Amino acid sequence: MNSDKFCPMPFGSMHVDPDGKIYICCSDRGPIVDDYNNVMNVQTHSLREAWNSKHYQKIRLEFLSGQKPASCVECWNSEVGDSSTSTRTSAIERYEKFENIGYRLNDAINEAKENNGILINSSAIDYQVMSGNLCNLACKMCFPSYSNGWTKFYTSRNIDVNDITYHSSVKMPSKLYEDFNKEYNWPKKTTIQNILQDDLDNIYFLNLTGGEPTILPENINLINNLKKSKNINKLELCIITNTTNINKKLLDALDGFYKITIVSSLDAMDEIANIQRSPSNWSQIYNNLLTLRQFSYYKSNVSHGVNTVITALNLHHIGSFWDFLVSTKDLKMNPSMISVAVVVNKDYPVGLEIVPRSAIAKIKEEFQKKLSLHNSEIYKNVMDYFDNIDWANDNTLMLEMLDNIQKYHPEHNIKELYKIYYE
């Protein structure tokens, strides 16, 4: 198949959003609909029903005929120009690894060709399942559809949803208001184990994310049951966690898989951590990092890394944070295990484009020091990224946002923590 147009995911992947809606992948503009145009949801439809729905068949046939499905526009847009990274290209790499341990993508492709896009003998092997919106944090770059912690945080501080704002140039997304007070708790009722039950023996890769997957006892039960899978010697389990709830039950359950990847979503230390991901307890998170370090150190099948979301709230702090992860004696994290997502768009509440150009020279200088110290690609890549951002000409929007953050966090001295923007 033409690798510039083909994607393996309709032939082997499924994604479940926090509200239970079923998609092909996390970038799919779907969701999957049934023959009556009803949105397919794990609370009303089985994954098997979605797998051979006319919707799935149509996407498969479009790829087989060399078309670019409209619902995959996010990947096509990501691959424009010099960029070659997208969910699609990452999936191609992942499926090559599956092939190395016995999976045969061509079997699914040939079956789809012969059966008008229907796959009976070939099942999904690659899942990303979001554990509802049950979460214990309210991250500033997140929204209630992904975390019911948003509602709890702002309600506990007597802040009305209609008063939540960061700065005047951005309109808060409508989903903020629609999902405020909503709780997607289907993983406690329907449970992820039940929705995957028919295909437990066929899974090669399961990515559990959230919400926060570690706070659900049902997910621990799922992990223990996965170890009974006939495919356990090929099954990779990935857990994306905010690292607030690493415990013995979880770590005991994780023993026994072909491969385990634990990704800690962490962006900062101390007060900045609490501001970006509220209400974080950095001391607790640090102790959990030490626990994960000990858990993974002597296990060749266990990989632990950190993914950092860079926003206007933590940009000035990132160099110091990564330096801490890499240099602290008890952690000594390999810089190659740090990945990054950058929030740029100024239409996004905490996007980098509100950061004043006047502060960037100091921030880049700090990054340069860390780069020379660690000689790491992560510092170099972020510095290169800086050159492509349209920084703000003044600090007006930045100070407006920080004034609002002070209202939401009266426990912190925002002017002191962000003094680089007040100078």
Side-chain angles (χ1 to χ4, degrees):
M1 305 300 295
N2 185 338
S3 60
D4 290 335
K5 292 184 179 179
F6 183 74
C7 179
M9 298 190 81
F11 302 87
S13 301
M14 303 193 88
H15 171 91
V16 181
D17 241 21
D19 57 6
K21 291 175 184 172
I22 304 168
Y23 296 77
I24 292 174
C25 71
C26 62
S27 296
D28 182 10
R29 291 289 176 90
I32 304 299
V33 296
D34 64 18
D35 294 352
Y36 303 97
N37 210 38
N38 297 310
V39 171
M40 302 191 86
N41 190 300
V42 294
Q43 298 169 90
T44 55
H45 299 77
S46 71
L47 291 180
R48 283 284 179 93
E49 287 177 294
W51 181 241
N52 276 316
S53 62
K54 289 182 179 177
H55 188 143
Y56 245 99
Q57 292 174 48
K58 176 177 179 291
I59 299 297
R60 290 177 187 134
L61 292 173
E62 287 178 348
F63 274 114
L64 290 175
S65 63
Q67 298 178 54
K68 290 185 172 182
S71 62
C72 304
V73 66
E74 186 171 323
C75 281
W76 309 131
N77 289 343
S78 296
E79 296 170 28
V80 170
D82 295 332
S83 175
S84 60
T85 301
S86 68
T87 302
R88 184 187 75 89
T89 56
S90 296
I92 290 172
E93 293 177 4
R94 190 164 67 254
Y95 272 71
E96 287 175 353
K97 294 177 182 177
F98 297 157
E99 295 265 343
N100 291 336
I101 54 175
Y103 174 67
R104 295 292 176 261
L105 176 60
N106 278 336
D107 290 348
I109 291 173
N110 291 332
E111 185 181 0
K113 286 179 179 178
E114 294 170 3
N115 296 319
N116 200 34
I118 295 175
L119 295 177
I120 301 299
N121 298 316
S122 303
S123 62
I125 62 158
D126 174 51
Y127 292 88
Q128 177 170 342
V129 184
M130 308 187 82
S131 303
N133 71 340
L134 305 175
C135 187
N136 54 349
L137 297 184
C139 303
K140 298 296 187 299
M141 59 285 187
C142 192
F143 294 105
S145 51
Y146 295 95
S147 170
N148 65 339
W150 253 71
T151 302
K152 294 175 183 177
F153 175 78
Y154 288 101
T155 300
S156 70
R157 301 194 171 209
N158 297 315
I159 298 167
D160 187 89
V161 61
N162 295 300
D163 294 330
I164 299 174
T165 186
Y166 293 132
H167 52 83
S168 56
S169 79
V170 68
K171 183 178 180 181
M172 300 299 276
S174 59
K175 288 285 285 180
L176 167 62
Y177 309 105
E178 294 168 8
D179 290 337
F180 206 77
N181 283 322
K182 282 188 180 178
E183 186 169 277
Y184 298 127
N185 63 356
W186 63 265
K188 296 185 72 66
K189 299 176 180 179
T190 307
T191 79
I192 297 173
Q193 179 178 324
N194 284 339
I195 69 170
L196 294 175
Q197 191 63 45
D198 291 338
D199 287 312
L200 286 181
D201 288 335
N202 303 314
I203 299 173
Y204 277 72
F205 184 82
L206 174 60
N207 184 0
L208 281 180
T209 178
E212 172 51 40
T214 66
I215 64 175
L216 275 74
E218 291 80 5
N219 283 347
I220 305 297
N221 294 337
L222 163 68
I223 293 169
N224 280 317
N225 275 283
L226 279 172
K227 289 193 285 190
K228 302 173 186 176
S229 165
K230 295 176 182 177
N231 216 34
I232 185 63
N233 292 328
K234 299 177 180 179
L235 200 163
E236 178 179 350
L237 178 64
C238 176
I239 296 179
I240 300 177
T241 173
N242 59 31
T243 323
T244 61
N245 191 47
I246 305 302
N247 55 74
K248 188 176 186 302
K249 280 188 177 180
L250 172 66
L251 298 182
D252 286 347
L254 289 176
D255 264 335
F257 287 86
Y258 162 70
K259 187 175 180 182
I260 300 163
T261 301
I262 303 171
V263 180
S264 291
S265 297
L266 299 173
D267 320 311
M269 301 176 288
D270 303 318
E271 294 99 329
I272 307 295
N274 184 48
I275 290 168
Q276 177 137 316
R277 295 181 183 266
S278 312
S280 298
N281 181 325
W282 173 247
S283 176
Q284 174 194 31
I285 290 171
Y286 175 64
N287 286 332
N288 287 338
L289 283 174
L290 295 178
T291 299
L292 288 174
R293 164 74 171 170
Q294 186 176 19
F295 176 73
S296 61
Y297 191 75
Y298 295 107
K299 294 182 174 69
S300 60
N301 67 322
V302 178
S303 171
H304 174 236
V306 167
N307 183 67
T308 294
V309 179
I310 301 182
T311 73
L313 287 171
N314 69 341
L315 175 65
H316 68 298
H317 176 77
I318 292 297
S320 299
F321 173 55
W322 286 346
D323 182 54
F324 178 86
L325 295 179
V326 173
S327 300
T328 300
K329 180 181 177 181
D330 292 333
L331 288 178
K332 286 290 182 183
M333 181 168 285
N334 189 322
S336 66
M337 297 306 295
I338 301 174
S339 58
V340 62
V342 185
V343 179
V344 177
N345 195 333
K346 63 183 175 184
D347 294 329
Y348 203 84
V350 290
L352 289 182
E353 290 190 348
I354 70 166
V355 176
R357 194 179 307 276
S358 58
I360 295 306
K362 285 187 178 180
I363 294 172
K364 288 185 72 172
E365 182 181 345
E366 181 69 16
F367 266 84
Q368 185 61 54
K369 289 178 183 176
K370 306 304 181 188
L371 175 62
S372 60
L373 180 64
H374 301 297
N375 192 27
S376 165
E377 283 295 310
I378 190 72
Y379 288 104
K380 182 179 183 301
N381 291 342
V382 171
M383 283 189 65
D384 290 344
Y385 204 93
F386 285 169
D387 295 333
N388 298 311
I389 296 176
D390 185 18
W391 305 104
N393 290 323
D394 58 49
N395 63 357
T396 303
L397 292 178
M398 189 71 186
L399 297 189
E400 184 183 347
M401 181 187 71
L402 293 176
D403 283 347
N404 284 316
I405 295 298
Q406 183 68 80
K407 295 175 188 175
Y408 309 147
H409 288 279
E411 71 274 22
H412 296 308
N413 184 340
I414 296 300
K415 285 189 176 181
E416 178 61 28
L417 292 172
Y418 293 89
K419 59 186 177 184
I420 187 172
Y421 300 120
Y422 288 90
E423 294 172 349

